[in-house]
Amino acid sequence: PRREDLIRLDFQASDKWRFTGRYMNTKEEILQAYGTTWAGNGSDQLPTPVLFLHPGSNYMMSATGVLSPTMSLELSWGRAANSLNYELQREELFKSSNPAFAQLPLFYPDAAQGDYVPWFQFRGGRLGNSGEYQTDRGPFTNKNVTHDVVANLTKVAGSHAFKAGFYYQNSF
């Protein structure tokens, strides 16, 4: 299921100033039958349901003003954030849910992610493309946040237009 909230603002304050704003909040939840092996939650051939949670939000405010018949100013500020979250849904692949895995000796127990069992590959012998449960990096979470600020000044002189500006982005 997908959910999205959107609010827009467009306001003409005077004949020289216009303000615009936007707020958006979305959330998408997808159940992937084989997960995603690049995030360490899934299998290349074995059923490994993984819930992909993908929330995101952003807001932006801008103002455009006419300072003189030949000069204008544009200002903009915004923030955007999204997150990628993959959560394994198969309980028998969690150590606490499966007594066979609860006693599994691990070389590096502190390296185990969450309650996931280690990465299992059923390979060797005459099996060329045998199955695997890749759970070595799960649960996987990645969050991206950016802040942007833009300021532009435009001056028209005769048949020429000159523009100078500033752009700043902070990404986390």
Side-chain angles (χ1 to χ4, degrees):
R2 182 181 177 96
R3 181 185 58 80
E4 182 171 291
D5 301 319
L6 177 64
I7 299 171
R8 292 182 186 206
L9 164 74
D10 197 10
F11 177 63
Q12 184 80 34
S14 69
D15 61 337
K16 294 187 177 188
W17 284 97
R18 179 182 199 102
F19 296 91
T20 303
R22 175 189 70 226
Y23 169 77
M24 188 169 65
N25 187 24
T26 67
K27 184 177 183 181
E28 184 175 46
E29 297 179 6
I30 301 169
L31 186 61
Q32 298 174 301
Y34 293 93
T36 174
T37 55
W38 64 264
N41 290 281
S43 172
D44 57 354
Q45 298 166 350
L46 304 172
T48 313
V50 171
L51 186 59
F52 173 35
L53 303 170
H54 186 223
S57 65
N58 71 62
Y59 54 83
M60 179 275 301
M61 294 173 52
S62 70
T64 303
V66 177
L67 305 178
S68 74
T70 61
M71 189 178 296
S72 67
L73 176 66
E74 302 168 273
L75 302 169
S76 205
W77 170 69
R79 176 189 183 273
N82 77 329
S83 182
L84 305 173
N85 304 294
Y86 292 93
E87 298 176 1
L88 190 61
Q89 300 296 298
R90 196 159 179 184
E91 287 191 26
E92 59 269 20
L93 292 176
F94 291 98
K95 290 185 292 182
S96 62
S97 302
N98 190 328
F101 291 131
Q103 303 302 317
L104 185 68
L106 300 175
F107 288 120
Y108 303 100
D110 293 338
Q113 297 291 319
D115 193 32
Y116 286 26
V117 298
W119 183 1
F120 283 101
Q121 293 181 324
F122 305 99
R123 303 209 174 174
R126 297 180 187 165
L127 302 174
N129 292 319
S130 54
E132 66 179 321
Y133 287 111
Q134 187 175 355
T135 56
D136 59 323
R137 290 177 297 246
F140 178 87
T141 298
N142 181 27
K143 186 172 185 178
N144 305 293
V145 179
T146 61
H147 297 270
D148 297 272
V149 177
V150 178
N152 291 311
L153 184 65
T154 304
K155 171 73 174 165
V156 176
S159 62
H160 300 285
F162 300 94
K163 190 171 189 174
F166 168 81
Y167 174 71
Y168 170 79
Q169 182 183 62
N170 174 278
S171 184
F172 171 73

